[in-house]
Amino acid sequence: MSQIPYDHRTKAGNRGDLLKHFILFSALKDIKRISASFRYLDVHAGYPCYHLQGTGAWQPGVGQFVDNYASTPVPQSRLNDFYDRLTDSSGRLKTEYPGSTTLVTEILRKCFPKRYEVFLCDTNPDVCAELMQFNRNNPNVHVFNRNGYQLAYELAPVDLIFIDPPNIDAQLDDYRQLIESCVDRQHPFIAWNALHGNPDTSGPSANCVQIRTLSQHWQIPLLEVRWENWHTRMCGCQMLLYLANGESLKQEGQHLARLMGWHSV
């Protein structure tokens, strides 16, 4: 029996999206200052946009962020820029929520005009069809209905790789091998994975401990946040930030965590 493709639409705008998209947004806003051109690869692209409606996972995520930030604004900050991107002129959360690929393409189009390339991979043919339709007038965007891990090895040089597996437990070997390859080739990357706990030890699961070990071994800044007590379900997320400004991005993420009332390390 074939595996049902992962569909993120019911989870769009959740707490994991909020953190990963804010960090990616902030990273690109900084990178633009030092690059003349740019090549970006998204290993697990997802849909270009999501429609937020009714109640859903977005409420404790981007919904709460907009409410919290409106009460405690931080002008001239990345949080302020991100808040402006997600809200309309009245400060209300837009119902059309951008996926990572849309955020990236918007920034690169402004910063580099024609001097950028975006490579988007997804194994879901419906996602790829929508990505191609959404970017049909942009020759700088290339969509591949294939395993993004493999393309990451074939594509060089790359200025930033975004690694965002829907299931770290099923893809841990591929995930770890790509991270090690990027470090070896000095390819900047941002890697996100869900944080799961081991209630017996009141700490992270064995796989999430391995992410901590990777961070320590390769001296990669690790942003880890948790919004619930340790549990076998997703209770937070981890982000490896292999960029020149990785430590400052980690601090930005911790700032967001404090605004949201999350625990961060």
Side-chain angles (χ1 to χ4, degrees), residues 84 87-92 94:
D84 286 344
T87 56
D88 61 21
S89 58
S90 300
R92 293 188 295 264
K94 296 176 182 177

Side-chain angles (χ1 to χ4, degrees), residues 31 35 37-41 157-161 187-189 243:
I31 287 174
S35 302
S37 61
F38 207 87
R39 298 182 95 208
Y40 170 86
L41 168 64
V158 182
D159 293 288
L160 180 62
I161 299 176
H187 283 177
F189 69 84
L243 304 96

